[in-house]
Amino acid sequence: NFEDALIEQFKNENIDVLIGTQMVVKGHHFPNVTLVGVIAADSSLNIEDYRAGERTFQILTQVAGRAGRENLPGEVIVQTYNKDNFAIENAKKQDYKKFYDDEIKIRQQLKYPPFCDIIIANISSKDEYETKKVANYLYTKLKKEFKNYENQILIYNPVESPVNKIKNRYRWRILIKCRFNNNMMNSINNILADYYKSKFKNTRVVFDVNPINMM
């Protein structure tokens, strides 16, 4: 395809400058690249995902690895509005151990994996009003089901998803923090069974445990 052909031309030194997304840096070996620039390096920090810092560190580390791969010296220039962020600072120093130590403390304080599990109830429908109504309905059911476990299970108020509409379907979600186990799974299955007997026929509900994508 066009992208593969373009990268091949760059490898063969028929192109002096290559501009692309972060996908350009993954799995490619450019032996004669000596300068790499990153624009808006902190944009990935603004994603509503507990792995935002980890992904930023990973991307910047991969980018840095594109320059000076063989006998030539390499230089990396990073443009950022948040240069003091620990993920960017540790990526600059290529210090994985320090990044891990900083990141794991934050995850422990905020009850993020690996210190708990995250469950997201995704609610979507072409009917905007019904989507919101189902989200509130499920929230009430969840609070009632787990009312005796308030110290162990955190259930957050339903909100619109970060990407609140895809393919004409409105999207809401409920976030739950807990330790996922068989009892939790059985309770969620019971809630879903009751839901599918309800009057809401046009709204899809999916529970996702430790989702890869939280958008």
Side-chain angles (χ1 to χ4, degrees):
N1 59 33
F2 175 75
E3 182 180 320
D4 291 337
L6 196 64
I7 289 174
E8 194 61 33
Q9 289 184 59
F10 187 67
K11 284 182 178 179
N12 295 331
E13 300 184 56
N14 296 320
I15 299 174
D16 295 325
V17 179
L18 179 63
I19 300 173
T21 66
Q22 66 191 46
M23 294 302 295
V24 171
V25 308
K26 294 186 177 181
H28 299 297
H29 176 58
F30 304 126
N32 296 316
V33 169
T34 57
L35 176 64
V36 171
V38 182
I39 298 173
D42 43 24
S43 59
S44 55
L45 291 172
N46 300 321
I47 298 173
E48 292 189 33
D49 191 324
Y50 70 90
R51 289 167 295 228
E54 177 185 349
R55 286 176 173 164
T56 299
F57 178 85
Q58 180 185 40
I59 290 167
L60 292 179
T61 301
Q62 288 176 326
V63 166
R66 298 309 104 188
R69 289 178 68 84
E70 294 196 355
N71 297 323
L72 298 173
E75 183 178 3
V76 180
I77 299 174
V78 176
Q79 184 259 326
T80 174
Y81 298 98
N82 195 7
K83 65 183 180 66
D84 295 325
N85 180 273
F86 76 95
I88 292 175
E89 183 64 24
N90 289 320
K92 172 187 170 184
K93 297 175 181 177
Q94 297 285 283
D95 191 339
Y96 172 79
K97 178 64 167 59
K98 181 65 165 60
F99 168 76
Y100 172 83
D101 290 342
D102 292 340
E103 175 73 7
I104 208 71
K105 287 177 184 175
I106 291 173
R107 291 197 185 189
Q108 186 172 23
Q109 290 171 358
L110 298 177
K111 292 184 171 61
Y112 286 143
F115 301 99
C116 83
D117 294 301
I118 288 180
I119 304 169
I120 294 183
N122 294 295
I123 304 107
S124 68
S125 173
K126 292 184 177 180
D127 185 327
E128 183 177 11
Y129 173 75
E130 184 171 302
T131 308
K132 183 177 180 180
K133 193 168 183 178
V134 169
N136 288 315
Y137 167 88
L138 284 175
Y139 176 74
T140 301
K141 287 280 189 182
L142 287 164
K143 292 292 284 187
K144 183 178 180 181
E145 179 74 19
F146 301 115
K147 65 181 179 180
N148 296 325
Y149 301 92
E150 291 185 353
N151 294 327
Q152 302 171 42
I153 301 174
L154 298 176
I155 304 172
Y156 293 83
N157 290 333
V159 294
E160 286 186 296
S161 299
V163 180
N164 63 0
K165 191 176 182 182
I166 295 178
K167 294 182 179 179
N168 293 321
R169 297 185 71 88
Y170 296 92
R171 304 172 73 239
W172 277 64
R173 72 180 187 181
I174 302 168
L175 190 145
I176 305 165
K177 290 181 183 179
C178 64
R179 279 296 186 186
F180 188 70
N181 52 35
N182 287 336
N183 290 334
M184 188 76 182
M185 181 173 64
N186 291 335
S187 293
I188 288 174
N189 285 337
N190 290 337
I191 289 172
L192 279 173
D194 287 342
Y195 167 72
Y196 285 117
K197 294 175 185 176
S198 70
K199 61 182 178 180
F200 304 112
K201 303 301 180 185
N202 301 311
T203 301
R204 183 185 305 151
V205 176
V206 177
F207 282 83
D208 198 352
V209 182
N210 295 325
I212 295 174
N213 185 346
M214 295 187 66
M215 300 300 288

